[in-house]
Amino acid sequence: MGNSGSVAGDRLPVAGRSRRPVALRALAGACVIACGVSLRAQVQQWPQFRGTPRLTGVTADALPDTLSLKWTYEAPETIESSAAIAGGAVYVGAGNGDLLAIDLETGKLRWKYATGSQLGESSPAVSGDVVFIGDLSGIVHAVSSRDGARRWTFKTGGEVKSSPVVTGDLVLIGSYDTHLYALDARSGTVKWKLETSGPVHATPAIDNGTIYLGGCDERFRAIRVADGKVLFELPLGAYTGASTLVDGERAYVGTFNQDVVAIDLRARRILWRYKDPEREFPYYSSAALIDGRIVVGGRDKAVHAIDTKTGKGAWKFVTRARVDSSPAISGGRVYVGSSDGRLYVLDAATGQKRWEFEAGEAITASPAIAAGRLVIGAQDGRLYCFG
């Protein structure tokens, strides 16, 4: 079709031909504008735990140099669930079992959905017009993002602390019944399930059709999304509460053996193990990635930056209590909560503190960043929105 159009154009008078480049430039400009709008729309989302299926914890969405508190919302009980942001709404689980939808701009409640059980660390995932979350009675819920109406539920055999991840038409989520489940996103029926030798606590990371998961059975697995086949597994030497960060041919995950592990996914081997030379404590926080470093919280009360090539520490920032919150990174800054009741903003290059906010109660949830806002919950039930 392009060639025939060009021939027809060659038969036009000179005046007619001179208008074609203008029209093409206008069309190109329109495409740039449309693409820009589309890219901005994509950036202004944090639809799941850690932001993306690779669990990178990184966004190009910018935050102000100095944050200010825009609103707070008081939930009935503790908030250990990390928020998702999509479609101008914040979705988060409260300890009393309510899945909350809150307007991002105003902090007003849009709707709440009662799961009928307590909600723990499982964090919502939003796909299309559906929100997914798991509860501590072992039920996975699919809820309309428009009005909070139930779409379907699926009962596992153990509590669910893993966060759902949506890929294609599948919802992937782990359960303490030792299984990783792949559920049909529309109906909740089981497409496949994989049995491990321990509870599946972590959130699965997904990249290029493969799931990467560290387990409570001290194994790291690569699993094919299509059918649940294990492609390879490695012994980690310790169980993991953290979720895996995937970056190209590498994966990074902290363990309860006081180390952070780097895995070569192509060679299927462990590259290095990082241990703090001064204090050895477990890592429950999931890592974020920036400029050749991973940043992760430790139960030694510190935030660690580790060089991805060498496995050596780049900097360490010490808080007043354990850091189970998983860092988020935006604009060269690290945002992370601590059980000392503070939200910290650190320079990603140096680890120097740029700002802090005292919530007063432990913050174990992780920040969500989208549309120029940062949202995080605390264990006193308060949800905070900064911008």
Side-chain angles (χ1 to χ4, degrees):
M1 294 178 65
N3 288 338
S4 63
S6 177
V7 171
D10 287 343
R11 290 196 293 265
L12 290 173
V14 173
R17 279 184 296 173
S18 67
R19 286 195 296 268
R20 290 187 74 246
V22 175
L24 288 173
R25 286 196 297 270
L27 178 60
C31 287
V32 169
I33 292 171
C35 290
V37 171
S38 175
L39 287 172
R40 285 195 298 272
Q42 291 175 15
V43 168
Q44 294 182 351
Q45 311 282 330
W46 187 280
Q48 66 156 79
F49 180 63
R50 312 303 293 132
T52 70
R54 293 192 298 117
L55 309 187
T56 60
V58 178
T59 180
D61 225 326
L63 290 171
D65 288 340
T66 301
L67 295 180
S68 61
L69 182 63
K70 298 301 182 183
W71 51 260
T72 61
Y73 180 89
E74 294 196 20
E77 290 185 24
T78 181
I79 297 178
E80 298 180 30
S81 171
S82 300
I85 302 173
V90 177
Y91 302 94
V92 71
N96 71 331
D98 286 344
L99 172 62
L100 306 171
I102 300 164
D103 188 272
L104 178 61
E105 183 64 28
T106 65
K108 304 288 187 184
L109 182 69
R110 290 188 177 183
W111 52 256
K112 64 181 176 180
Y113 166 86
T115 63
S117 178
Q118 292 181 320
L119 288 170
E121 297 167 38
S122 184
S123 303
V126 186
S127 178
D129 63 350
V130 184
V131 186
F132 305 93
I133 197 169
D135 70 30
L136 295 183
S137 72
I139 297 176
V140 181
H141 302 259
V143 181
S144 169
S145 64
R146 293 192 298 267
D147 56 12
R150 178 181 298 176
R151 293 288 182 85
W152 53 258
T153 58
F154 173 79
K155 174 70 172 174
T156 76
E159 63 184 8
V160 176
K161 293 186 176 181
S162 172
S163 300
V165 179
V166 182
T167 178
D169 60 355
L170 295 180
V171 180
L172 300 170
I173 193 166
S175 169
Y176 271 49
D177 67 5
T178 74
H179 288 86
L180 174 68
Y181 290 91
L183 308 176
D184 185 276
R186 293 180 296 271
S187 65
T189 57
V190 178
K191 290 294 188 179
W192 55 258
K193 62 181 180 179
L194 173 69
E195 185 174 9
T196 71
S197 300
V200 181
H201 175 93
T203 297
I206 305 172
D207 187 38
N208 197 27
T210 303
I211 301 160
Y212 299 99
L213 185 70
C216 295
D217 59 359
E218 303 185 5
R219 311 292 293 178
F220 175 85
R221 293 177 174 85
I223 306 156
R224 194 158 59 198
V225 168
D227 56 10
K229 179 183 178 180
V230 176
L231 302 176
F232 71 88
E233 61 179 81
L234 295 171
L236 288 175
Y239 70 91
T240 59
S243 300
T244 300
L245 159 66
V246 179
D247 178 40
E249 296 178 357
R250 294 209 182 172
Y252 306 91
V253 65
T255 80
F256 271 75
N257 194 33
Q258 290 76 248
D259 59 11
V260 179
V261 181
I263 300 165
D264 186 320
L265 299 176
R266 174 172 285 188
R268 302 180 179 184
R269 66 184 181 90
I270 292 175
L271 287 173
W272 49 254
R273 292 178 182 269
Y274 166 82
K275 284 183 180 285
D276 187 287
E278 299 172 349
R279 303 181 68 193
E280 293 188 357
F281 280 80
Y283 292 88
Y284 194 72
S285 165
S286 301
L289 177 72
I290 182 171
D291 297 336
R293 294 173 177 174
I294 58 169
V295 181
V296 63
R299 290 196 161 175
D300 60 350
K301 306 180 182 181
V303 182
H304 300 258
I306 306 165
D307 186 280
T308 59
K309 290 182 179 180
T310 64
K312 304 296 184 183
W315 54 256
K316 180 171 69 173
F317 175 82
V318 179
T319 76
R320 299 168 179 84
R322 63 172 57 176
V323 183
D324 286 345
S325 175
S326 300
I329 295 177
S330 169
R333 294 191 173 188
V334 176
Y335 301 84
V336 65
S338 170
S339 291
D340 67 11
R342 291 170 171 83
L343 171 68
Y344 291 97
V345 180
L346 311 177
D347 185 283
T350 65
Q352 292 183 335
K353 184 176 69 175
R354 297 302 184 194
W355 186 81
E356 71 175 51
F357 173 83
E358 185 169 355
E361 291 291 337
I363 299 176
T364 57
S366 305
I369 300 173
R373 297 285 186 267
L374 181 150
V375 180
I376 193 167
Q379 290 198 2
D380 61 358
R382 285 188 175 90
L383 187 70
Y384 295 91
C385 177
F386 301 91

